[in-house]
Amino acid sequence: MTKHVCVINWKGGCGKTTIATHLAVALASSGLETGLADYDRQETAKLWEKLRPKDAVAVSLINWRKDFGRSPDSLQRLIVDCPPSFRTKRVRAIIAESNIAVVPILPSIFDEMATLAFLKRLVAIKSVRKHKKRVLLVANRYRTDRSASRRLEEFLLSEGLLLTARIPEREIYSDLARDGLTVFDRHNKAALDQQQAWLPLVREVEKPWPTVSDGLQVQS
């Protein structure tokens, strides 16, 4: 049975594709047959896959803009790169049918308020409200020496929310993305140092999964 992880936030520019590609490669590198479904209008995951070297760890790219909801039965994990939206039936179906929703957030007042509003909408989904699905918050472009990062932690704590992982702001991410790569594709010191930031998310994703039905049942 394929386990689904959607990477979603209705706030654009928060790093959904970075999170989705890194999580897909991390899981594939552990030996799991992993797919990456691109349902974002910008198709950045599709571009990333085209740039990816042929000898890199295999991640199956699935274009859901063209063939929504389809994926090979052989997949063990499916990461879905969602658009910055919550309006369509298809996006809501992706969330409802996922085992885990990963929500990236940037350290800024605009992202904080937008993400809080988004999380309140998520709770309206029955499987989230009844705790049958985990929602994981990931801080992207996080810098411990910045007051914005500290304020983000304080804001989330005031709302009873905690971060699962903190992904630092580093040039290595944009440099590797140009070649269709992630920090999990490299074994030099810089990449290995950055991998440590991702391990809390990978471990949380691989905890025992809530059971939800496979397949996306939604009207076009």
Side-chain angles (χ1 to χ4, degrees):
M1 181 182 293
T2 304
K3 306 301 182 181
H4 294 75
V5 180
C6 67
V7 182
I8 179 102
N9 193 333
W10 65 13
K11 174 70 169 63
C14 58
K16 291 186 293 295
T17 302
T18 297
I19 303 296
T21 53
H22 274 73
L23 188 53
V25 175
L27 297 175
S29 298
S30 72
L32 295 166
E33 187 167 348
T34 304
L36 176 61
D38 190 350
Y39 192 53
D40 193 341
R41 290 183 295 274
Q42 297 181 20
E43 297 187 326
T44 46
K46 181 180 177 181
L47 172 61
W48 172 85
E49 192 273 339
K50 285 184 177 180
L51 296 170
R52 192 161 174 77
K54 300 300 183 184
D55 60 350
V57 173
V59 173
S60 302
L61 192 285
I62 304 144
N63 186 356
W64 274 12
R65 302 299 301 180
K66 181 179 179 180
D67 197 8
F68 179 78
R70 298 298 181 90
S71 62
D73 293 337
S74 60
L75 291 181
Q76 295 169 284
R77 301 290 182 267
L78 180 65
I79 313 301
V80 185
D81 187 14
C82 295
S85 173
F86 193 66
R87 296 181 179 180
T88 70
K89 290 182 179 179
R90 285 184 169 185
V91 171
R92 293 195 296 272
I94 290 171
I95 299 170
E97 295 294 340
S98 294
N99 300 86
I100 289 179
V102 176
V103 181
I105 179 172
L106 298 182
S108 81
I109 183 62
F110 304 111
D111 283 74
E112 290 165 10
M113 300 313 296
T115 301
L116 181 60
F118 175 70
L119 292 173
K120 289 179 178 178
R121 291 290 187 92
L122 278 185
V123 174
I125 296 175
K126 185 176 180 180
S127 58
V128 176
R129 187 172 64 253
K130 292 186 174 295
H131 305 289
K132 295 181 178 180
K133 184 190 316 295
R134 293 205 302 277
V135 178
L136 308 179
L137 278 173
V138 177
N140 195 26
R141 302 174 199 160
Y142 185 97
R143 292 186 62 169
T144 55
D145 60 342
R146 293 285 178 86
S147 59
S149 296
R150 292 193 295 272
R151 285 196 297 267
L152 173 62
E153 299 268 9
E154 293 168 359
F155 169 77
L156 293 176
L157 189 59
S158 71
E159 297 292 337
L161 302 168
L162 296 174
L163 290 170
T164 297
R166 299 159 182 81
I167 309 305
E169 184 179 28
R170 296 288 188 274
E171 288 186 5
I172 188 173
Y173 293 106
S174 58
D175 291 342
L176 289 171
R178 293 189 187 98
D179 297 319
L181 298 171
T182 72
V183 297
F184 290 98
D185 292 297
R186 290 287 181 259
H187 302 287
N188 54 36
K189 185 179 185 304
L192 291 173
D193 286 346
Q194 292 307 304
Q195 287 179 25
Q196 298 304 309
W198 292 88
L199 292 182
L201 175 61
V202 176
R203 293 191 187 110
E204 195 66 30
V205 164
E206 282 303 290
K207 281 184 177 179
W209 297 73
T211 300
V212 297
S213 60
D214 278 341
L216 297 173
Q217 305 299 323
V218 60
Q219 300 270 336
S220 298

